[in-house]
Amino acid sequence: SQQGEEDPQALSIQEGENATMNCSYKTSINNLQWYRQNSGRGLVHLILIRSNEREKHSGRLRVTLDTSKKSSSLLITASRAADTASYFCATDRIQGAQKLVFGQGTRLTINP
Amino acid sequence: GAVVSQHPSRVICKSGTSVKIECRSLDFQATTMFWYRQFPKQSLMLMATSNEGSKATYEQGVEKDKFLINHASLTLSTLTVTSAHPEDSSFYICSAYGLRSYNEQFFGPGTRLTVL
């Protein structure tokens, strides 16, 4: 399979705690992106990190990228009930014409 | 960010009928559109890449005669599921990429297809 792996597949935490999701991929990439998907809805773009970047922040989100290990992590700090969703990483290969390969996703549940 | 719409958002049809799904980029010109399929509790799988004015490129295992894609303009791509069967029931999502997207694809809200 060309898809990357994400772990954990499911994560349930209490509101206010931090949530960390990991993503691994298989090929050299241009960029790695994280998306959120609420149940039965489309994708919401969260953050893009380029292959020459190691860390990026956006509000309560922190993304790291380790190209030597072909892995990335998404940290959501001070989680809220509204953060409950599935989170996917997606990579585009250097020679992929912007094709995105999605990870399996992590289903995050924030308990009030 | 740019806006991509899909129509219809939900469709229920009988087995054997054909269903057309539209994907529109509302405020930018999409040189490339992608079609994905997502089964329940699974990830998105790329079905095909659609470039304006040329034939779509299908991923391995996707039947081009069953999933007809037309990208007639820089703002519209259509996916037609021909002779739909229950196993085609899925969530179909399009995304659009333009010259000024800076490597970001903009996703439509998805179309839920249920084939009875």
Side-chain angles (χ1 to χ4, degrees):
Chain A
S1 168
Q2 293 297 311
Q3 286 196 312
E5 299 290 326
E6 287 187 61
D7 75 272
Q9 290 188 2
L11 178 62
S12 181
I13 60 174
Q14 294 300 119
E15 194 167 20
E17 294 180 340
N18 296 340
T20 299
M21 290 159 272
N22 302 296
C23 163
S24 62
Y25 55 91
K26 298 181 180 180
T27 63
S28 296
I29 62 171
N30 274 328
N31 309 287
L32 185 143
Q33 303 181 63
W34 284 90
Y35 291 87
R36 184 183 75 225
Q37 184 181 37
N38 290 83
S39 181
R41 307 290 291 273
L43 294 180
V44 174
H45 184 261
L46 295 177
I47 199 164
L48 179 152
I49 186 166
R50 303 186 192 285
S51 59
N52 61 354
E53 296 176 310
R54 292 296 166 257
E55 188 171 311
K56 206 161 183 180
H57 297 254
S58 177
R60 294 184 294 114
L61 307 180
R62 173 176 166 252
V63 168
T64 63
L65 178 65
D66 186 336
T67 52
S68 66
K69 294 181 180 178
K70 292 187 169 59
S71 68
S72 173
S73 68
L74 170 67
L75 168 68
I76 303 175
T77 60
S79 63
R80 304 167 182 169
D83 295 329
T84 295
S86 290
Y87 291 82
F88 296 93
C89 68
T91 56
D92 59 349
R93 292 170 288 180
I94 290 175
Q95 294 178 336
Q98 292 80 40
K99 283 188 190 181
L100 292 181
V101 177
F102 282 83
Q104 300 290 346
T106 295
R107 288 194 305 279
L108 175 65
T109 302
I110 309 299
N111 302 305
Chain B
V3 179
V4 175
S5 70
Q6 278 185 243
H7 178 79
S9 59
R10 188 180 296 267
V11 57
I12 300 173
C13 68
K14 293 182 179 179
S15 186
T17 60
S18 294
V19 175
K20 181 186 283 188
I21 302 170
E22 292 185 348
C23 176
R24 292 182 186 274
S25 58
L26 298 184
D27 51 2
F28 71 104
Q29 293 185 327
T31 52
T32 304
M33 287 182 169
F34 300 90
W35 286 95
Y36 297 85
R37 180 167 53 184
Q38 185 180 32
F39 291 108
K41 291 187 168 54
Q42 294 189 24
S43 187
L44 281 74
M45 293 293 293
L46 180 65
M47 298 175 66
T49 303
S50 167
N51 292 298
E52 186 267 336
S54 62
K55 289 184 178 180
T57 303
Y58 291 81
E59 294 299 301
Q60 192 173 9
V62 178
E63 300 174 58
K64 63 180 181 180
D65 294 330
K66 181 166 186 62
F67 299 99
L68 301 179
I69 291 172
N70 184 290
H71 193 159
S73 76
L74 286 172
T75 59
L76 174 64
S77 175
T78 60
L79 167 69
T80 301
V81 183
T82 62
S83 187
H85 288 96
E87 58 265 30
D88 298 323
S89 298
S90 188
F91 194 53
Y92 291 87
I93 304 176
C94 72
S95 70
Y97 174 86
L99 291 176
R100 292 185 290 179
S101 293
Y102 302 108
N103 295 314
E104 183 177 346
Q105 288 183 29
F106 299 98
F107 283 81
T111 296
R112 173 76 58 195
L113 171 63
T114 302
V115 184
L116 302 176

